[in-house]
Amino acid sequence: MKRFDPNIVFGFLLLVGGGLALAQTMGYLENATGLFWGGTFLAIGLVFLTLLFGGHWWAAFPGFTLVGLGALILLPESLDDFGGALFLGSIGLSFWYVYFTDRADRWWAIIPACVLSALAVMIVAAERYEDLGGAIFLGGIGLAFLIVFLTDRDGRWWALIPAGVLATLAVVTIAAERFGEFQTAGIFFFGLAITFLLVAVLAGMRWAYWPALGLGIMGLLGIVSLLEVANYLWAVVMIIAGGFMLFRYFSSRSS
């Protein structure tokens, strides 16, 4: 069996490139250079993707990236605004492939997969829902850590904390446009309280109940401030706190 000669590929590319250049010169074709390079990257990417059938999972990275780059070059001008989403999504697709082909050992791939996918969705959503861009991006990263936790609940319980924090920040980015600073801070603390509560319940970390309780109180005070009873609540809290301190003081003196 004869060894594969790379000159065949280069010869074919020169032949195609020359034909496209000639067609553009004769006025039969426009943007021949873009068609040549777009088609070239697309073809090389597809060659790499064929290696996946042989178990070479690493080929997903150059394969999907080059296919995305080729598609980006060939993209019509009317869709240029979505070019970034197409390219980032193609790279994210490579990480999704790596993750789903071996979820036990290659769990790490879910983080860049979700980050790149969230960026792609954010670019598309920004065309109509500009205010949701930050929430989509932060929520996408939070989803990545949530999936990391679900792959090994005992060994990767820590992933719940960044998942909850990022999901909370995603909500805060939306709430900041609708509520005041104090109420937004209340939502943030309440979200963190829920995060630690989930750590305590789902991961069995009993110490997490204490930060959940403290953050929950702070968050509840901030959220309740949206209501008309906020001023009464603060007054009651101050009275109870002051009464408790005086009670402790006089009870210690009498003993």
Side-chain angles (χ1 to χ4, degrees):
M1 185 176 179
K2 292 184 177 180
R3 186 178 180 182
F4 177 75
D5 191 350
N7 290 326
I8 297 176
V9 177
F10 291 119
F12 178 76
L13 291 176
L14 289 173
L15 184 63
V16 173
L20 290 173
L22 181 61
Q24 179 172 331
T25 302
M26 297 176 65
Y28 294 112
L29 189 66
E30 295 181 359
N31 192 26
T33 303
L35 290 174
F36 173 74
W37 286 112
T40 299
F41 286 129
L42 195 62
I44 297 175
L46 291 174
V47 170
F48 274 107
L49 292 181
T50 59
L51 298 177
L52 298 178
F53 296 104
H56 303 287
W57 60 268
W58 56 268
F61 296 118
F64 285 111
T65 301
L66 290 172
V67 167
L69 182 58
L72 176 63
I73 295 174
L74 297 174
L75 200 67
E77 292 184 3
S78 59
L79 300 177
D80 280 346
D81 292 338
F82 302 102
L86 175 64
F87 183 61
L88 291 172
S90 64
I91 303 175
L93 190 60
S94 65
F95 284 99
W96 282 112
Y97 175 85
V98 170
Y99 169 70
F100 280 114
T101 50
D102 190 352
R103 287 180 288 181
D105 294 331
R106 296 199 285 265
W107 59 268
W108 50 267
I110 194 64
I111 299 177
C114 283
V115 171
L116 291 166
S117 298
L119 282 172
V121 174
M122 183 181 69
I123 292 173
V124 175
E127 295 296 321
R128 293 189 60 183
Y129 307 102
E130 186 176 355
D131 295 339
L132 298 180
I136 293 173
F137 178 63
L138 293 171
I141 305 176
L143 178 62
F145 283 102
L146 177 61
I147 297 175
V148 168
F149 164 72
L150 294 176
T151 57
D152 185 0
R153 297 191 178 191
D154 295 328
R156 302 188 187 110
W157 61 267
W158 51 267
L160 270 177
I161 298 178
V165 171
L166 289 165
T168 301
L169 289 174
V171 175
V172 166
T173 59
I174 299 175
E177 301 293 332
R178 294 168 172 80
F179 306 115
E181 294 182 0
F182 190 75
Q183 292 84 1
T184 303
I187 294 173
F188 175 71
F189 286 122
F190 199 66
L192 294 184
I194 295 175
T195 298
F196 282 100
L197 183 61
L198 290 176
V199 171
V201 174
L202 299 180
M205 301 294 170
R206 301 183 65 85
W207 57 266
Y209 282 114
W210 292 107
L213 178 62
L215 291 167
I217 294 174
M218 296 176 66
L220 186 62
L221 291 175
I223 293 175
V224 170
S225 64
L226 292 170
L227 306 177
E228 295 181 357
V229 298
N231 294 331
Y232 295 99
L233 179 64
W234 278 113
V236 171
V237 170
M238 294 175 66
I239 292 172
I240 293 175
F244 178 74
M245 294 175 66
L246 291 175
F247 174 77
R248 288 285 302 274
Y249 172 76
F250 286 113
S251 60
S252 62
R253 285 178 61 93
S254 60
S255 60

